[in-house]
Amino acid sequence: MDAAATTSATTSTAASADASPARGLALRSGSGAVFRFDPGALCLELLTTGGPGPYRRYEVLHEPADLAEWADRSRLTPTPALEISDSEVADARRLRDALFRLIVAHMAGEPREPELLRVINGAAAHPPLTPAIGPGGERRWTGTATGTHLLAAVARDAVDLLTGPFAHRIRTCASDNCQLVYVDTSRPGRRRWCSMEHCGNLHKVRALRARTSEEARPSEDG
């Protein structure tokens, strides 16, 4: 996927965090271009860390520090202080791959495999990260947060997304060589690209070049 993209920046939050001016993850494409991608949901941000089958080569979740880094760059605000085990990193990859396959099936209108539902619902059944108001009025997370709490928050976000009012707006980028997945929560619902900075802009450039070439071509009557 052109989003051979590795996450490299953090952003705002949505349902489970506060808003900030810049939304989305900073990704690097196969060509080296850095662009901002807002998939619209926490669970979809996890899909940028790799995936099943051919997407395995983009894997970035190898050890606890990798999962903690993803949480730091996700839309969770503030960044939770996490205690993550190696087994929880494996659980994160398992959840992400199940979510990836389920969303692909959802977009294609295919049946939901029971095993995929088992993985996602199993993760969602654990207690999630718990927000609280601090003494100074700031947002904070309570208790000692673990990788399991983090994955429960992601899985519950997936349940909300896939059973909510925007489930029919989960899409992949319209570019032929980009498979980034997002949910279009805009009022008109006409989003086509992972990012106007990247695939949207490339489409505009190609369309302009094609139009310019067509106008410059001698007409048959000339």
Side-chain angles (χ1 to χ4, degrees):
M1 59 187 176
D2 175 54
T6 52
T7 42
S8 60
T10 174
T11 55
S12 63
T13 102
S16 51
D18 298 330
S20 73
R23 299 184 70 86
L25 301 165
L27 304 184
R28 187 180 300 277
S29 73
S31 65
V34 176
F35 62 98
R36 190 164 292 280
F37 169 57
D38 179 14
L42 176 67
C43 62
L44 299 183
E45 289 184 331
L46 187 62
L47 302 189
T48 65
T49 64
Y55 304 107
R56 189 71 65 201
R57 60 183 173 144
Y58 303 120
E59 183 62 68
V60 299
L61 300 180
H62 303 288
E63 57 187 16
D66 298 329
L67 184 56
E69 183 178 4
W70 172 80
D72 178 52
R73 293 172 173 172
S74 77
R75 62 206 304 122
L76 287 169
T77 300
T79 299
L82 297 164
E83 294 183 1
I84 302 172
S85 66
D86 288 330
S87 64
E88 288 172 326
V89 178
D91 290 340
R93 292 193 297 265
R94 187 177 305 110
L95 173 62
R96 179 203 59 208
D97 290 358
L99 182 57
F100 195 111
R101 290 190 171 103
L102 185 65
I103 286 177
V104 169
H106 170 80
M107 291 187 295
E110 298 173 353
R112 298 166 179 79
E113 293 183 27
E115 176 59 19
L116 302 181
L117 296 177
R118 186 192 69 78
V119 171
I120 296 169
N121 291 336
H126 291 287
L129 296 169
T130 304
I133 302 173
E138 76 282 3
R139 181 187 176 90
R140 61 191 297 184
W141 303 105
T142 62
T144 300
T146 66
T148 299
H149 291 119
L150 173 66
L151 299 181
V154 172
R156 291 182 181 211
D157 185 69
V159 171
D160 288 342
L161 176 62
L162 288 164
T163 62
F166 292 105
H168 66 291
R169 287 198 187 176
I170 302 174
R171 304 167 185 158
T172 54
C173 179
S175 175
D176 292 337
N177 63 343
C178 179
Q179 286 78 45
L180 285 173
V181 179
Y182 63 87
V183 55
D184 183 1
T185 58
S186 67
R187 180 170 295 181
R190 292 194 292 266
R191 180 177 172 182
R192 297 182 57 202
W193 312 106
C194 61
S195 170
M196 283 305 299
E197 291 179 42
H198 187 52
C199 288
N201 185 58
L202 289 174
H203 173 75
K204 285 184 176 181
V205 170
R206 293 188 188 110
L208 177 60
R209 286 175 179 169
R211 191 162 57 247
T212 302
S213 177
E214 182 66 25
E215 291 172 353
R217 186 179 305 158
S219 66
E220 295 182 359
D221 298 332

